[in-house]
Amino acid sequence: DVADKYTVLGAASRETYANWLTPVEEHFVCHRNDIPDAEADDWTVSLTGDAAGRLTMGDVREAYPRVAVAHTMECAGNGRGQHDPETGSVQWGYEAAGTAVWTGAPVSSVLREHGVEEPEPEGGSDERWLTAVGGDPSEAGDVFARSIPLSKAFDDCILAYEMNGRPLPREH
């Protein structure tokens, strides 16, 4: 069963959403691969393509501006458990949504320092994308990867290292 491969945590009850800020312990998590067994300071960010280099988490925390942003996330599968007939994968009800204050370094600062030019203003012909590839271990050797327009990465993305004022937990 594919759903058995996932690590899933979600809000304990609807009361979680009475406050706009979701407690770290109740913010949803959905992992397809194993949660990495590593200390935060052991992680690195590898840059390839137009930006080459490697950053330690110390570099990310100390060499770049620090910003904090409140952001609400919802899993694309939230509510899937209410489908009739049942659909595949994790059967979320309401619990796969949460709002946290994420603190980290602006992706734009990292990219600029590594020679990536800012995209043209909206409406321009710049069609470059940024692809993020996870380091989560997997028995099958597959990786998690997502791409976003480079303009979005420059606009408001961060490399987060804190959640609600606390160091980012391993599962996040």
Side-chain angles (χ1 to χ4, degrees):
D1 184 321
V2 171
D4 291 340
K5 184 178 180 179
Y6 286 81
T7 300
V8 178
L9 304 169
S13 69
R14 290 186 186 273
E15 281 90 39
T16 294
Y17 304 112
N19 187 330
W20 71 272
L21 187 65
T22 306
V24 171
E25 298 77 18
E26 293 195 48
H27 195 288
F28 81 95
V29 172
C30 185
H31 280 278
R32 185 168 168 262
N33 295 330
D34 295 334
I35 296 172
D37 185 19
E39 296 298 320
D41 288 337
D42 295 338
W43 281 93
T44 60
V45 176
S46 298
L47 305 169
T48 62
D50 289 345
R54 172 164 275 168
L55 303 171
T56 66
M57 288 310 299
D59 295 334
V60 172
R61 282 191 302 270
E62 297 164 19
Y64 297 96
R66 175 184 174 94
V67 297
V69 60
H71 183 74
T72 301
M73 288 190 265
E74 180 177 21
C75 178
N78 203 29
R80 185 183 292 132
Q82 301 166 20
H83 293 181
D84 185 15
E86 185 177 295
T87 59
S89 197
V90 180
Q91 297 302 301
W92 290 112
Y94 59 85
E95 48 291 66
T99 301
V101 175
W102 303 92
T103 302
V107 170
S108 59
S109 295
V110 174
L111 294 175
R112 277 188 199 102
E113 182 173 289
H114 287 85
V116 178
E117 292 184 26
E118 189 163 353
E120 297 174 14
E122 191 171 327
S125 61
D126 194 332
E127 297 181 7
R128 293 176 293 160
W129 288 68
L130 179 138
T131 300
V133 180
D136 307 22
S138 166
E139 287 180 17
D142 55 345
V143 295
F144 179 86
R146 285 294 183 268
S147 297
I148 60 172
L150 189 61
S151 58
K152 172 71 175 160
F154 266 86
D155 186 36
D156 64 2
C157 293
I158 67 172
L159 291 172
Y161 48 79
E162 288 183 5
M163 180 180 186
N164 293 349
R166 295 176 16 202
L168 195 62
R170 281 185 35 230
E171 62 270 14
H172 287 283

